[in-house]
Amino acid sequence: MKNHSTLKKPAIKLHAGQNVIGKWHHQSYTVVRKIGEGAIGAVYLCTQRGRPVALKISEQDAAVTVEVNVLKALKKVQGYRLGPSLLDVDDWTAPNGRVYSFYVMEYMKGDRLGAFIQAEGKKWLGVLMIQLLDDLEQLHQAGWTFGDLKTDNILVESNPPRIRLVDVGGTTRMGRSIKEYTEFFDRGYWGLGTRKAEPSYDLFAVAMVFLHIYYPRRFDRVAGEASGKLLEKKLYRAKDLDLLHPILKRALKGKYLTASEMKKDVIDKMKQLQRRSHYHKKTRQKKNYPVLESFSISIVASIYWIISLLLP
Amino acid sequence: MKAGTLKQILLLTDGCSNKGEDPAVVAGLANQQGITVNVIGILDDDQTEEPEGLREVEDIAVSGGGVSQIVYSERLSQTVQMVTRQAMTQTLQGFVNKELRSILGKNQSMEELEPEKRGEIMEVVEDLGETSDLEVVVLVDSSASMRDKLETVKEALVDLSISLNARIGKNRFCIYRFPGRRNDIELVLDWSPKLDAISQVFPKLTSGGITPTGPALRAAMYQFSKKQLRRKWDEEPFDIEETGY
């Protein structure tokens, strides 16, 4: 005979208007709508005394506790806001009688990276990549690898545009094995590296994130074709990324050992670009010069000619 | 706390057993020997609802103290590694719960602790999950209906070894298919730390319509003890059953 507690805990679905009340801290949250779903549980937009919050709930208690640990550790990294801030951790007895663990974090408003670039244009690519690398650098220095870095986990807050990383489900201590990943962004899937948590793991994913903007439907590995070649081909077909090609290629090959190395290359590229556009303006002026010169010479010449005609 | 060896059977199937003893009973037996039984039910791409046969999947995992999941073959790779890890955590958590009970009293378990304390214990569980050694007997259903899925299963297993080999702890895998040509199970790959080499040995052919899941599980269970005999003189392994099954 099976008793109640040995049966597999069913996945939990919350509906709009439902109240989730914590068993330990007695806070009450009213569900507005679902805003995301992953391998571990789902995230809901809720209100708590009128203010919007994001609530993550899962049937896997252990995974919830692990994520909470990560958020708490990130909170200790001083002077920098990596990931959403944690507001509450608690358990809730669902109508089905089972207890589900959940945690509550700040609700971040923004566009997904892909949507933002589509709306605002490729001119933002460099700036956002620098921001992203900046955040990763901080995270890496604090001893963590983000892990499940993908377009869906990167929000762009507006005014001014600022990258925010969400969902720390894959965030893993350096040197350990990556906890959670998404195949398209995972170098292990492409056969281009291990799943050990180290900066180059995230930097590979950064390159894939930017590739994903131009291949929104993603693509799969091809049996019998070297993945390195395939990714390079796809990269060259994404024309909007052309200036970043060498940098992205290095990241895909695992050549960057730290986020700051990669960031430096992006910054240099941006500077180079600015200089070049400056130079473009100058050369354009120079190009106008000879025309102007010959024009003025011919005017002077014709004046002489007219004068010579008038003079007897 | 010292890290030791976790033992798992990973069963990959797409249907109901139809020969021999009840697989859920065998899984229960295995669990009593300190082996965790995980089951993955594979759906056909055109299957819109879970067929009757896959109901058994959950029963086997529950009595085997493991994790079960029913998936379409395209999601197989990620599911296999997730299920394996989740089961490791679950086993270690069970072990920690037992320790807690012996220290704090009969009714204490992690779930009854307040979230703050739970976090600290979970860090210990995570450390153990990263450092303990793991042995997995993979049991692949190779009855006729699995024909189109074997390639995906192979990829998923290679992927699993990539994931697990990124851990600090050691891994050992062996693969059996069932039914075998002569016995309930047939060896595909003997104990090995990596699965990169399976491409050459992985079966492409399927055999008949019989699915003797129960007998296959029983045979898989014995693979651990065989190996333990062989490494009798090695250092003492960390055994879940030591803590009082």
Side-chain angles (χ1 to χ4, degrees), chain A residues 8 69 91 176-177 181 195, chain B residues 68 78 85 118 127 163:
Chain A
K8 191 175 169 184
N69 279 348
D91 295 333
R176 300 202 161 183
S177 53
Y181 58 85
R195 291 200 179 114
Chain B
S68 68
Q78 284 204 300
R85 278 173 175 266
R118 212 183 293 163
D127 281 352
S163 272

Side-chain angles (χ1 to χ4, degrees), chain B residues 154-217:
Chain B
K154 187 185 80 187
E155 275 174 24
L157 292 176
V158 172
D159 200 79
L160 175 70
S161 91
I162 296 177
S163 272
L164 293 175
N165 281 323
R167 295 183 324 123
I168 295 164
K170 290 195 202 80
N171 308 291
R172 312 247 292 161
F173 308 90
C174 69
I175 306 175
Y176 284 86
R177 63 187 280 196
F178 72 100
R181 268 165 289 195
R182 281 176 211 92
N183 302 315
D184 290 327
I185 62 174
E186 184 182 317
L187 182 71
V188 175
L189 183 83
D190 206 357
W191 289 104
S192 150
K194 280 189 178 174
L195 294 179
D196 307 2
I198 62 171
S199 288
Q200 293 93 29
V201 291
F202 208 72
K204 290 187 176 61
L205 295 173
T206 49
S207 42
I210 309 162
T211 314
T213 313
L217 273 176

Side-chain angles (χ1 to χ4, degrees), chain A residues 116-127:
Chain A
F116 181 87
I117 297 288
Q118 235 104 65
E120 305 291 329
K122 66 170 182 172
K123 59 177 186 276
W124 286 99
L125 284 171
V127 177

Side-chain angles (χ1 to χ4, degrees), chain A residues 236-293:
Chain A
Y236 283 109
R237 253 180 242 158
K239 293 287 179 232
D240 279 2
L241 290 173
D242 55 359
L243 288 164
L244 297 167
H245 277 169
I247 297 170
L248 295 176
K249 211 168 108 182
R250 274 179 72 86
L252 290 176
K253 285 185 171 167
K255 292 278 171 63
Y256 290 114
L257 296 182
T258 63
S260 63
E261 276 173 48
M262 186 168 167
K263 190 178 82 181
K264 187 182 165 294
D265 278 4
V266 181
I267 292 173
D268 286 351
K269 189 54 115 186
M270 301 279 286
K271 277 187 190 156
Q272 204 182 322
L273 192 66
Q274 270 169 1
R275 235 179 286 135
R276 205 190 295 165
S277 62
H278 200 60
Y279 174 78
H280 269 306
K281 271 178 214 152
K282 266 188 189 163
T283 49
R284 226 174 288 138
Q285 280 170 357
K286 262 184 195 159
K287 264 182 208 156
N288 292 340
Y289 243 98
V291 181
L292 209 72
E293 235 167 9

